[in-house]
Amino acid sequence: MDTQRLKDKILQLAIQGKLVEQDKNDEPASALVQRIKEERDKLVKEGKIRKPKKLPPIEEDEKPFEIPEGWEWVRLGNLVEFKIGKTPKRSNADYWDNGEYPWFSISDIEDGEIIYDSKEKISEKAYTDIFKGDISPKGTLIMSFKLSIGKMSILGVDGFHNEAIISIFPICDSEEITKMYLFKIMNGLDILGDSKSAIKGATLNTTSLNNILIPLPPFAEQKRIVEKVDELFALIDELDSNKEDLLEVINLTRNQVLQEAIQGKLVEQNPEDEPASVLLDRIKEERDKLIKEKKIRKPKKLPPIEEEEKPFEIPGSWEWVRLGEVANNHDSKRKPVSVKNRDNLEKIYDYYGATGAIDKVDDFIFDGLYLLIGEDGGNFFNDKDVAFIVQGKFWANNHVHVLDCYSEILTKYIKNVLNSINFGDRELITGIAVPKLNQTNLNNILIPLPPLAEQKRIVKKVDTIMDMLDELESQLTN
């Protein structure tokens, strides 16, 4: 779920007059613009602000979209006064030593937030000599206009800032409604359509700042927009927080399902099931036959399973076995193909590596149902499945182990067992720079083996639950 994209969409609706209803009884924005002009003229006459340069009229082809009746397009310079900051000389220690006044830089700005502290502070001398006591008071709207343009915060304390930041003071805004309206919509400055043509490169200047177009609603509607944006953003933040919690629960549930499955706790045992020991005998007979026919190599003898190795109790009809007893390893058939060589091949058959299919090639090594598990890389230390099933014709490189497990059900069951293992907590992985699951450690992995009939019930139950969790995750993320 892209919550930032959703917030941007809300802001887009807000500045186009589509987020809240218009009220024909609202005083039009033109009256507010007139009051702002009168207030500015008064402040100029009283010598409190400088007389501004006349800004160019707004042409029709500048307006990026239609706005409702009662709104006005205005230039930022006709709506606010702004102050550019300063940086005291770094070479003068008197300006920085024993600093007590917050001095904000772009790195201090937390976009869309109120900020209370700065990484650096200036001294009383800098306060007097450089800034002449002209401090931006608590509640001031500030915006970066160099390097990272358009980042906006509100000062939570009285403070100063550098020349890459401006303090913005809306004129005629005793209730601070226009300030909060600007704070909301300018925080998403990039959605102001063609009005961003005022912004060139990675910086703004006083001319382009003054010329930025602002869609200005009536004063009463500004208030409704601010309240609605706050309400919707709060809901989105709550939804996003809940989403992360739910995704974590889904992941934990997957792990719990696999743990219960391999411990005989997911489905009931049936005393009439043929025990796993009989299945093991059949697998041994099949293996001996394949060895005799020279279809597989005779495997190395595996060590007996000691009691202290067994991580948990299993039902009486189950058996503890090593993976090498119930799976044939075909790693000797693997063959890597370089990227350069693959580029010249016809793309027909999947080419598998440690994490899955990474390319296609024009030939295949394997044909049938196989269980693959990565041999090296970081896939052992994340939440993704390490083992996966491949069926049909494919090629595999030397970064993935290739196994067959005698039957489709046994293959699916062993896949679940391998994906239940936290390889990061086991001594199965060797290597530091490149973690590796070698063939010896792979073959020695303990498998809690149920009767074949119970394996079928387990696989079916796991598939049903995992499909449901996948669907829920998809709904949350998409």
Side-chain angles (χ1 to χ4, degrees), residues 163-180:
E163 61 276 8
I165 297 172
I166 57 170
S167 289
I168 299 173
F169 304 98
I171 298 169
C172 198
D173 189 33
S174 59
E175 297 180 52
E176 299 190 335
I177 297 301
T178 299
K179 180 186 85 173
M180 294 309 298

Side-chain angles (χ1 to χ4, degrees), residues 376-430:
D376 49 37
N379 50 309
F380 302 112
F381 304 101
N382 55 40
D383 293 331
K384 294 182 180 179
D385 290 346
V386 296
F388 50 97
I389 292 173
V390 176
Q391 188 166 14
K393 297 179 175 70
F394 66 95
W395 195 287
N397 67 20
N398 58 332
H399 296 289
V400 61
H401 295 291
V402 181
L403 310 171
D404 80 68
C405 305
Y406 296 99
S407 74
E408 181 177 353
I409 291 299
L410 181 57
T411 303
K412 290 181 176 180
Y413 173 75
I414 292 178
K415 181 200 75 169
N416 289 333
V417 175
L418 293 176
N419 286 332
S420 74
I421 296 173
N422 185 348
F423 285 91
D425 290 343
R426 300 284 186 94
E427 296 179 354
L428 298 167
I429 306 301
T430 61

Side-chain angles (χ1 to χ4, degrees), residues 106-302:
I106 289 177
S107 63
D108 294 312
I109 293 183
E110 297 178 26
D111 203 18
E113 302 291 336
I114 299 174
I115 54 175
Y116 296 92
D117 199 14
S118 61
K119 295 181 181 68
E120 297 183 278
K121 291 180 170 58
I122 60 171
S123 67
E124 181 73 33
K125 185 172 178 58
Y127 174 94
T128 304
D129 292 357
I130 305 301
F131 292 97
K132 312 299 182 186
D134 186 16
I135 196 167
S136 293
K138 174 182 177 181
T140 298
L141 179 62
I142 63 172
M143 182 182 82
S144 62
F145 74 105
K146 292 182 179 179
L147 301 177
S148 178
I149 60 174
K151 288 175 65 176
M152 303 199 71
S153 292
I154 289 177
L155 294 181
V157 293
D158 295 348
F160 300 98
H161 52 75
N162 68 14
E163 61 276 8
I165 297 172
I166 57 170
S167 289
I168 299 173
F169 304 98
I171 298 169
C172 198
D173 189 33
S174 59
E175 297 180 52
E176 299 190 335
I177 297 301
T178 299
K179 180 186 85 173
M180 294 309 298
Y181 172 73
L182 293 174
F183 182 47
K184 300 302 179 187
I185 68 152
M186 290 184 68
N187 187 43
L189 193 61
D190 59 316
I191 65 170
L192 289 176
D194 292 338
S195 67
K196 198 178 177 181
S197 63
I199 301 171
K200 302 295 184 183
T203 186
L204 292 167
N205 54 39
T206 53
T207 299
S208 53
L209 275 170
N210 278 315
N211 283 327
I212 290 174
L213 287 186
I214 301 294
L216 189 70
F219 193 75
E221 189 171 347
Q222 290 179 40
K223 186 174 183 179
R224 295 197 299 274
I225 288 172
V226 168
E227 290 172 349
K228 179 58 72 173
V229 168
D230 283 342
E231 176 190 346
L232 293 176
F233 277 21
L235 286 172
I236 292 169
D237 289 340
E238 182 179 353
L239 177 62
D240 196 35
S241 175
N242 290 342
K243 180 200 73 173
E244 294 302 322
D245 291 342
L246 283 170
L247 290 173
E248 179 63 21
V249 168
I250 288 171
N251 190 47
L252 291 173
T253 301
R254 285 195 183 101
N255 293 334
Q256 185 63 31
V257 168
L258 292 179
Q259 291 301 322
E260 291 188 2
I262 67 171
Q263 294 181 39
K265 298 176 181 179
L266 189 65
V267 299
E268 291 185 4
Q269 280 76 52
N270 185 341
E272 296 182 3
D273 287 344
E274 178 185 79
S277 58
V278 177
L279 173 62
L280 276 176
D281 289 339
R282 285 204 304 273
I283 289 174
K284 186 178 182 305
E285 290 173 5
E286 178 66 17
R287 168 169 285 180
D288 291 343
K289 177 174 174 253
L290 293 172
I291 293 171
K292 189 174 181 179
E293 294 172 351
K294 297 184 179 181
K295 292 181 178 178
I296 62 171
R297 295 179 179 180
K298 184 176 181 178
K300 293 180 180 179
K301 190 172 182 180
L302 298 172

Side-chain angles (χ1 to χ4, degrees), residues 41 63 76 105 128 194 206 270 301 310 318 341 354 376 396 405 447 463 470:
D41 291 344
K63 301 174 183 178
L76 182 63
S105 64
T128 304
D194 292 338
T206 53
N270 185 341
K301 190 172 182 180
K310 301 173 182 177
W318 291 37
N341 288 337
D376 49 37
C405 305
I447 302 293
D463 285 349
D470 288 346

